Amino acid sequence: MSVRVKICGLTSPVHVAAAVDAGAAYVGFVFFPKSPRHLSIATAADLVAAVPPGVAKVALTVNATNAELDAITGAVPLDMLQLHGSESPERVAEVRARFGLPVMKAVGIAEEADLAAIQTYGRVADQLLIDAKPPKDAAHPGGNGLAFDWRLVARKYWPCPWILAGGLTPENVATAIRLTGARQVDVSSGVEIAPGVKDEALIRAFIAAATGAT
């Protein structure tokens, strides 16, 4: 089974096209003002319009209110909502029920004690994004280019499908896949030449390395 790749934090038509052409299964768009990858709803709607059927369009939000999610989902045709903040399991279930879209919940991992959250959220989310836990003083909950000890999640089985994230690059993604058994991977800063600025060659190299891993 081929590894599925999510390219997150896309901000330009050129990089959306590069991700799609290289075989990305998901493309992610960030709605979080503190992020260098943040998009206005109008810009996101234009970018999503160019994504062909079969490639999942994901909105990344951080502790968004119902009003904010109403505005996003009302204007941008999406396939999935990614909750990347401190949303509780109850909030995840509420969003899933209210908006009628699959929900991907990000869970930060730094040590073995953090794994319990995977089981908890795995019972209410459609997918999990298992990421490196941000430092306590981090301004952003994700996209920090940090990896975690992949051995913590190696060959584990969770209640729902999961995506490996956190510090992945074209150089290390194949190793991460082999060590963890992940069948899906996510990248944002690992294919950038500056914060929020993607690179077409890096996008292609990452997808090639991930999908070619065994």
Side-chain angles (χ1 to χ4, degrees):
M1 186 174 76
S2 178
V3 172
R4 292 161 59 83
V5 177
K6 177 171 172 280
I7 306 292
C8 197
L10 292 162
T11 60
S12 78
V14 169
H15 298 129
V16 170
V20 170
D21 291 345
Y26 308 83
V27 287
F29 304 94
V30 175
F31 298 88
F32 181 53
K34 292 182 179 180
S35 171
R37 305 164 190 95
H38 172 67
L39 296 173
S40 70
I41 290 176
T43 298
D46 288 341
L47 292 176
V48 164
V51 178
V55 179
K57 302 171 289 292
V58 184
L60 185 157
T61 65
V62 178
N63 300 323
T65 65
N66 284 342
E68 290 167 335
L69 292 174
D70 279 335
I72 294 167
T73 58
V76 185
L78 297 165
D79 299 303
M80 182 173 288
L81 293 172
Q82 179 177 333
L83 305 185
H84 213 103
S86 57
E87 299 90 355
S88 67
E90 293 76 19
R91 177 59 176 159
V92 173
E94 178 190 4
V95 169
R96 190 169 178 265
R98 177 185 171 96
F99 293 94
L101 287 169
V103 170
M104 178 189 298
K105 177 68 180 90
V107 178
I109 300 296
E111 57 188 359
E112 192 162 0
D114 297 321
L115 298 179
I118 296 177
Q119 294 290 346
T120 300
Y121 283 103
R123 289 190 281 269
V124 292
D126 295 279
Q127 295 209 45
L128 298 173
L129 185 134
I130 300 180
D131 200 356
K133 200 172 194 175
K136 286 185 170 55
D137 59 350
H140 311 127
N144 295 303
L146 299 175
F148 64 95
D149 184 350
W150 295 321
R151 291 172 297 182
L152 290 170
V153 296
R155 309 292 165 179
K156 295 284 191 356
Y157 295 93
W158 313 118
C160 68
W162 63 284
I163 299 182
L164 180 67
L168 297 178
T169 67
E171 292 74 30
N172 69 14
V173 66
T175 298
I177 290 167
R178 284 194 292 269
L179 284 176
T180 63
R183 306 313 301 166
Q184 304 191 103
V185 291
D186 172 282
V187 68
S188 185
S189 61
V191 292
E192 292 179 346
I193 53 174
V197 183
K198 295 288 189 287
D199 180 84
E200 292 174 72
L202 289 176
I203 289 171
R204 293 192 186 97
F206 184 91
I207 293 174
T211 56
T214 57

